[in-house]
Amino acid sequence: MYLIQYKLELPLFMDTLGSITVAFIFGGVPAIICATISQIIMFFVEHYASAIILIYVTTVYAAIGVVCLFRKSLQETDSVLNTIFIIFFISILMALCVSISGGIVNAICIYVQDITGYAIQDNAATSYFQVDLLKMGLSSIPTYILSRIPSNLIERPIITVISFGISVMYQKLQKSE
């Protein structure tokens, strides 16, 4: 996430790669543990002013849930075409789920920021799109959701393919030992 957002300044999150890889390899519970620990570490590294930011982990939980729904189908298919279709479907469904959950969490964080006065640092890639959507007259929650869709439609297929590829390599290494 640091390299993609802050150094390359690309409007992508790329913060769920590890958790999604763990979900493909080991399943939901280890992935949720990985996501939770990662979010807590990121909270301290980023020095956020408010702990409310920790609820962004729910977006990762949504992505993990999507992977877990289709993980067994991926393991059982022998067809490359079916695998490609399932990976594509996972990435699109993940993009929608993460956009919706992220938009709702964003609205909650901004609401908490407004009543507490704590400034929540927002380095999200979606900031690029929010201003234009608000100028178009959309209300805040649809804006927060819709602003996430473009970056998630790019990012989620990348994460899904990389994570699935790592899981396949891991399984091959396990079989060879």
Side-chain angles (χ1 to χ4, degrees), residues 34-96:
C34 176
T36 303
I37 292 170
S38 297
Q39 188 71 14
I40 291 168
I41 290 169
M42 194 164 43
F43 171 77
F44 288 110
V45 169
E46 293 287 331
H47 306 291
Y48 288 114
S50 175
I52 191 70
I53 202 80
L54 289 171
I55 67 172
Y56 272 105
V57 76
T58 58
T59 63
V60 186
Y61 296 163
I64 291 167
V66 171
V67 170
C68 289
L69 281 174
F70 297 98
R71 183 172 172 253
K72 188 174 182 180
S73 298
L74 275 171
Q75 292 170 341
E76 292 175 352
T77 187
D78 290 331
S79 166
V80 173
L81 191 57
N82 283 346
T83 300
I84 292 169
F85 176 76
I86 294 168
I87 293 293
F88 175 76
F89 188 74
I90 287 172
S91 63
I92 298 303
L93 187 58
M94 193 187 303
L96 295 175

Side-chain angles (χ1 to χ4, degrees), residues 130-165:
Q130 286 179 0
V131 175
D132 291 332
L133 291 170
L134 288 169
K135 284 180 184 177
M136 291 172 42
L138 286 174
S139 62
S140 57
I141 292 180
T143 294
Y144 301 144
I145 292 170
L146 292 173
S147 66
R148 284 173 151 62
I149 291 175
S151 61
N152 278 319
L153 284 175
I154 295 168
E155 172 188 12
R156 296 299 150 182
I158 294 168
I159 286 175
T160 305
V161 168
I162 292 171
S163 296
F164 180 71

